[in-house]
Every structure is written in structure tokens, then in C-alpha cells.
Amino acid sequence: MKTKIYVLNSKLFAVILIVLTILAGFSSCDDDEDMENNPVAYSGSFVKSSETVVTSATGTTTATYNPVTLELSYMVTWTGLGSNAVNMHFHNDGPVMAPITGFAAATSGTVSGKVTLTAQQATDLAAGKIYTQIHTEDYPGGEVIATLSKSAGSNNQNQNPPGGDGY
């Protein structure tokens, strides 16, 4: 009788060990997937668009990038522009990448929204090539820019911001 109990306990132990191993495997897969799918936070502070711009404007662009959906959710806040904002958009290291709509034609304000990036734009975002630009009545070529860089605690590398292009 003791032998049968020992064999039964060994089989039970083996089954428990197999189940735990399988669960550990699933758990590690979920962790890897979560590491890849975690949103990445970005931010940038406004500076003048070019050396010829005279401004005391300040503000920020904060954004969260979702690598699964390629969606960039953003909030742009600005104050102290020399004249009313007339145009805003994201640039992709030069060319206009995506318009920002719904902003107040004012010297101060906040606007938020979402834009879906292409794979190349997502790569450029990670490389520090994406920036927000605000155009004003006084500076139709652009008064301020804010280059998006990875915020502390995110999963990307910080990159140096590109120079203003005056667009």
C-alpha cells in the first residue's frame, strides 16, 4: 500500500511541475509582449524656430506613442506668442508630417489630438526627428518649434533635436 501512495504522489508532483512550467512560460510571454507594447512618452519645449525670430513664447508638446496602433496622442500648450497662432503641425525632420487642427487663433492656448504615424514616421520619432511648429501672423514661416524626445522612464533613446527649417 505504501508503494502505491508513493507512486501516486510522484505522478501528482510531476503533473504540478508540468503545469507550473507551462504557466511560467505563458507568464514570460506576456511580460515580453508588454515590454514591446508599452506606450512611449515624449515631450518637447518650444524654442524659436530660427535665429531671425524674436520671441519670448514658451510652451510644450507632450505625447504618448502606442507602438501597436502607431498612434501618437498629443497635447500642445503655448503662451506668449508675439501674435496669434495661424497654423500648427508636426514636421518630420523638415517636411510637414501631420496638421494640428482645432487650436485657438490666440497667443496662448492648449490643443490636443491624435495622429496615426507611418512606420517610417515612427522610426523618425524614435530618432528625434519629429517636432511641433507653431506659425503666427508675425512669423508665417514659424515662430516656435518643440522637438519630441523620449521622456524619462520611456523605452526609446533620446536624440538631439533637428534645427528649425522655417516652414
Side-chain angles (χ1 to χ4, degrees), residues 83-144:
S83 57
N84 288 339
V86 295
N87 200 349
M88 291 184 200
H89 40 251
F90 288 100
H91 281 268
N92 191 2
D93 195 23
V96 172
M97 184 185 88
I100 297 172
T101 60
F103 61 88
T107 59
S108 298
T110 298
V111 65
S112 59
K114 296 179 183 182
V115 61
T116 300
L117 305 181
T118 65
Q120 181 60 54
Q121 291 166 341
T123 298
D124 289 346
L125 176 65
K129 296 179 180 180
I130 304 295
Y131 58 97
T132 310
Q133 188 166 40
I134 300 177
H135 301 261
T136 62
E137 294 167 346
D138 289 348
Y139 294 102
E143 185 167 334
V144 291

Side-chain angles (χ1 to χ4, degrees), residues 10-97:
S10 294
K11 287 181 182 178
L12 182 60
F13 178 75
V15 168
I16 291 171
L17 187 60
I18 290 170
V19 168
L20 289 175
T21 302
I22 291 170
L23 289 175
F26 283 134
S27 175
S28 75
C29 288
D30 288 343
D31 289 346
D32 291 343
E33 185 175 308
D34 287 343
M35 289 292 284
E36 294 172 9
N37 297 336
N38 279 339
V40 181
Y42 287 87
S43 64
S45 295
F46 281 109
V47 297
K48 62 185 185 174
S49 286
S50 71
E51 291 300 317
T52 61
V53 171
V54 177
T55 186
S56 59
T58 60
T60 59
T61 298
T62 56
T64 303
Y65 173 67
N66 183 321
V68 174
T69 64
L70 302 180
E71 189 173 76
L72 184 70
S73 301
Y74 62 86
M75 182 185 311
V76 179
T77 302
W78 69 98
T79 188
L81 294 173
S83 57
N84 288 339
V86 295
N87 200 349
M88 291 184 200
H89 40 251
F90 288 100
H91 281 268
N92 191 2
D93 195 23
V96 172
M97 184 185 88

